[in-house]
Amino acid sequence: MAASEENNSLFLIFILTMIALPLMPYTILRLCRAATKKTKTIHCQCSVCSHSGKHRKSIYKRISNFSTCGNLTILLLWVVMVILVYYIKHISRESQPFEPFSILGLEPGASESDIKKAYRRLSILYHPDKNPDPEAHKYFVEFISKAYQALTDPISRENYEKYGHPDGRQGFQMGIALPQFLLNIDGASGGILLLGIVGVCILLPLMITVIYLSRSSKYTGNYVMHQTLSTYYYFMKPSLAPSKVMDVFIKAAEYMEMPVRRSDDEPLQKLFVAVRSELNLDLKNIRTEQAKFWKQHPSLVKMELLIQAHLTRESAALSSALQKDFKRMLELAPRLLEELMKIAVLPRSPKGYGWLRPAIGVVELSQSIIQAVPLGARKAAGGNSEGIAPFLQLPHFSEGIVKKIARKKVRMFQELQNMTVHDRFELLTQTAGLSAAEVHDVELVLEMIPSITVEITCETEGEEGIQEGDLVTMYAWVTLRRGNGLVGALPHSPLFPFHKEENFWLLLADTASNDVWLSQKVSFMDEDTAIAAASKAIQEIKEALGANAKEVSYAVKEAIEKVKSGSRLVMGKFQVPEEGSYNLSSYCLCDAWIGCDTKTSLKLKVLKRSRAGTRGHGAEEGPVAEDGVEEEEEEEEEDYDDYESEYSDDEDDEKDVESKVSNGVAHQRGVSSSEEDSGTD
């Protein structure tokens, strides 16, 4: 029995040790990180975002932030440790050394008469004739009687003095840190052990495997259904207009699985009347168009109306059942749009290029959904080629306010941004009729809007020029600036109820042929990852060029400083087509803000492949000066087909862009599209 209790106690001590060894240092590490973590507010501070409650740190949100899977696991393990310590200390009996004087309540060296008096006193309390309690009887026999015998019987006393026990030498026992039922492999215990082994070693892994395979066969790594990707791939076309992107977007399997209830018919009919102007229906045949619209699949009708309700800001009138579907639709929208963007730029043409026109349409739809701005607001009107969409993302702005400030010759969004704070305050208070607090909100959002610049270099590694069929490497430094000094931030989106980070898509495309030669997703949120990637890339480039250790260290240090100041290094490879001159454009498109996209023109000349292996220079224009130094000159950008947006018209004139083309290397610096007349919305 004692051996059994000892094994159980050792098993608990073993479990406690195995939990404590990793848990204690990991908890200390988590606490240190939490204490040293700098708290920086990266979301919008305007009153509209504050009243939306999306970023408010309520008690529920604080609990939600704390109750992550990792934190709850740590807390649970600490509770288990406390319970084990309590059980081992207060329940499990530890073997104590035999001390007869202590048992009888005497000091060591007491006389024989004192020993007899103590024995008689304890006998009155614990003797079976005096105390019928079984525990008292057990204590009297195992402790009091043995202690009295050890101190009065000569043989017992000799054994006690020599071996520490009146019975003489005690055998040495070893325990094993396993519970007792695992050591009794017979009867029911054997069956329990067998079931435990089968369940833990066979059934549990099998169940986890089945669940994982069933889920992975249905969803991608981005938690988008495979059926959705197949549908997007099938309906994606190179000529897909931006206004038609929504027709493809709502065909996602996640949306098609949403229930269509009979109780939704009347609310959807009312919603149709409210958003009818945004459905691109032919007003000349309005009855035919309406009938055609309602003959679509019920899920498609429901999703399009819910999206238009969000874009036109009519969602408050939805029923409670539709509100649930409405929030689910918005929750899925960012990841579905990201996958739709990947499908648009997926190399599928005979030359291995993606498609520019649908890619721009996907980004425009994403911007409109995040900012809750109708797609129709992008139409050019009143001398404004970019429409009023950029203005509507500002707090307290409406179409009426945009018309008021247009009377003061402020028609472009860039014109409003370029004004001084004082002039803008007078315009918005005196002309637009906004209060000082509302103007302050506008200023906060204007400071949040990013300004993007792009520096691109295209070159063939180890070669002087670019010849047809070469694998060209693009190096691009994308730099972000804000008026408030932040780099990574969350966009102003009070009507989008979920957390959304800014993402940028860098596209190198030929607008004339609608081809996307190269595409990369850029994020400014994770600075540590960007530093590691840029350091590794710069180090590899310098080492390949034969730079020494000092030069490599200096280049890496310079790259790290650029990343910390708000730049990101983007690299990619593409294969150039046949000989010729190509007027390329680099687009840096934001999926959350309207009007901050960047477009840069880039001239690239591809030479005919030389059989002898000697390469000529790829510069199209610009004579080479003495000492190999090229002259810089401004080149007027040629006309090109514009696939940027069908909601806005092209401007007649475009800003000249400086270009430097040297030995087949094209170098450009982009400016924000809000600064360019032809920038995308």
Side-chain angles (χ1 to χ4, degrees), residues 279-298:
L279 295 177
N280 294 324
L281 302 180
D282 187 3
L283 298 179
K284 296 180 180 179
N285 302 313
I286 187 64
R287 292 186 178 181
T288 305
E289 290 290 316
Q290 289 184 8
K292 183 179 179 181
F293 177 81
W294 288 105
K295 285 181 181 180
Q296 297 180 98
H297 192 283

Side-chain angles (χ1 to χ4, degrees), residues 100-106 115-128 130-131 136 139-140 143-145 147-148:
F101 288 105
S102 298
I103 294 172
L104 297 178
L106 299 172
I115 294 173
K116 290 180 179 181
K117 288 180 182 179
Y119 176 71
R120 284 194 294 269
R121 178 172 49 81
L122 293 174
S123 297
I124 295 173
L125 298 175
Y126 295 100
H127 195 276
K130 304 294 183 178
N131 191 341
Y139 182 72
F140 180 80
F143 292 92
I144 298 175
S145 296
Y148 178 73

Side-chain angles (χ1 to χ4, degrees), residues 456-460 466 472-475 508 574 602 604 664-666:
I456 294 182
T457 300
C458 296
E459 61 183 22
T460 304
I466 299 178
V472 176
T473 303
M474 180 199 74
Y475 304 95
L508 184 62
F574 62 93
L602 183 71
L604 185 68
V665 178

Side-chain angles (χ1 to χ4, degrees), residues 260-561:
V260 180
R261 298 169 290 269
R262 290 186 177 181
S263 58
D264 296 339
D265 291 344
E266 184 177 352
L268 290 178
Q269 289 281 357
K270 294 180 180 179
L271 184 59
F272 173 80
V273 175
V275 302
R276 181 168 51 187
S277 60
E278 294 292 329
L279 295 177
N280 294 324
L281 302 180
D282 187 3
L283 298 179
K284 296 180 180 179
N285 302 313
I286 187 64
R287 292 186 178 181
T288 305
E289 290 290 316
Q290 289 184 8
K292 183 179 179 181
F293 177 81
W294 288 105
K295 285 181 181 180
Q296 297 180 98
H297 192 283
S299 295
L300 296 178
V301 173
K302 180 177 180 178
M303 285 302 107
E304 184 167 2
L305 290 177
L306 289 180
I307 293 176
Q308 293 295 352
H310 174 65
L311 299 181
T312 56
R313 306 181 181 184
E314 298 285 345
S315 59
L318 297 177
S319 63
S320 58
L322 285 177
Q323 283 285 356
K324 184 178 180 181
D325 297 335
F326 174 76
K327 291 183 178 180
R328 179 60 179 167
M329 178 270 297
L330 291 180
E331 183 181 11
L332 295 173
R335 72 181 75 156
L336 293 177
L337 286 167
E338 181 177 345
E339 295 300 322
L340 186 60
M341 181 67 177
K342 293 178 182 178
I343 295 295
V345 298
L346 184 70
R348 289 196 292 183
S349 66
K351 298 179 181 179
Y353 299 143
W355 298 324
L356 177 62
R357 191 178 191 187
I360 293 177
V362 172
V363 175
E364 288 182 347
L365 179 59
S366 176
Q367 295 171 353
S368 297
I369 290 178
I370 300 303
Q371 296 296 337
V373 173
L375 293 174
R378 296 178 181 269
K379 294 180 180 179
N384 186 352
S385 62
E386 61 185 9
I388 64 173
F391 291 97
L392 296 181
Q393 67 187 342
L394 297 176
H396 315 297
F397 262 66
S398 62
E399 186 175 352
I401 292 179
V402 176
K403 291 180 179 179
K404 289 180 180 179
I405 65 175
R407 299 191 189 107
K408 296 295 183 178
K409 307 301 181 181
V410 180
R411 298 185 177 90
M412 304 291 292
F413 188 66
Q414 183 62 38
E415 294 174 352
L416 180 67
Q417 286 183 302
N418 291 340
M419 296 177 68
T420 63
V421 176
H422 180 266
D423 292 343
R424 190 160 50 233
F425 180 83
E426 290 186 349
L427 174 70
L428 296 180
T429 53
Q430 298 177 8
T431 304
L434 298 181
S435 65
E438 292 173 337
V439 174
H440 178 66
D441 289 339
V442 173
E443 293 294 337
L444 290 176
V445 175
L446 289 175
E447 290 178 352
M448 290 285 293
I449 296 179
S451 174
I452 302 295
T453 57
V454 182
E455 299 176 4
I456 294 182
T457 300
C458 296
E459 61 183 22
T460 304
E461 296 181 3
E463 302 292 346
E464 293 183 353
I466 299 178
Q467 295 187 2
E468 54 186 7
D470 280 352
L471 189 63
V472 176
T473 303
M474 180 199 74
Y475 304 95
W477 279 103
V478 183
T479 304
L480 182 145
R481 295 286 183 269
R482 302 182 201 270
N484 56 14
L486 291 175
V487 177
L490 301 179
H492 163 80
S493 54
L495 297 178
F496 188 80
F498 299 100
H499 176 87
K500 176 67 177 72
E501 296 180 356
E502 296 174 344
N503 290 312
F504 296 83
W505 288 90
L506 183 63
L507 309 178
L508 184 62
D510 185 351
T511 56
S513 61
N514 192 35
D515 291 334
V516 176
W517 291 24
L518 185 66
S519 63
Q520 291 284 351
K521 181 182 175 182
V522 186
S523 175
F524 289 85
M525 299 300 294
D526 193 349
E527 183 180 279
D528 294 337
T529 302
I531 288 176
S535 301
K536 183 179 179 181
I538 295 297
Q539 182 178 357
E540 292 177 352
I541 294 171
K542 292 298 181 180
E543 290 178 350
L545 296 176
N548 55 41
K550 185 176 180 180
E551 293 174 341
V552 172
S553 177
Y554 178 79
V556 170
K557 184 178 180 181
E558 187 179 24
I560 292 175
E561 292 299 325

Side-chain angles (χ1 to χ4, degrees), residues 48-120:
V48 180
C49 288
S50 300
H51 293 157
S52 69
K54 185 168 65 171
H55 305 296
R56 188 181 303 153
K57 293 184 178 179
S58 61
I59 296 177
Y60 174 76
K61 286 193 174 183
R62 290 175 186 272
I63 295 175
S64 300
N65 293 334
F66 172 77
S67 60
T68 59
C69 183
N71 291 339
L72 291 179
T73 302
I74 293 175
L75 181 61
L76 179 61
L77 290 176
W78 274 105
V79 172
V80 172
M81 280 185 58
V82 172
I83 294 174
L84 288 175
V85 170
Y86 177 83
Y87 182 82
I88 293 172
K89 182 178 180 180
H90 297 280
I91 308 276
S92 181
R93 291 185 177 181
E94 299 180 1
S95 59
Q96 299 291 336
F98 186 75
E99 295 289 346
F101 288 105
S102 298
I103 294 172
L104 297 178
L106 299 172
E107 295 291 334
S111 63
E112 186 173 349
S113 61
D114 292 337
I115 294 173
K116 290 180 179 181
K117 288 180 182 179
Y119 176 71
R120 284 194 294 269

Side-chain angles (χ1 to χ4, degrees), residues 19-56:
I19 295 176
L21 282 176
L23 180 61
M24 294 183 68
Y26 182 71
T27 304
I28 294 174
L29 180 62
R30 289 286 295 268
L31 292 175
C32 292
R33 287 180 177 177
T36 57
K37 185 178 181 180
K38 296 180 180 179
T39 57
K40 181 187 292 185
T41 303
I42 61 173
H43 60 79
C44 182
Q45 299 291 309
C46 73
S47 62
V48 180
C49 288
S50 300
H51 293 157
S52 69
K54 185 168 65 171
H55 305 296
R56 188 181 303 153

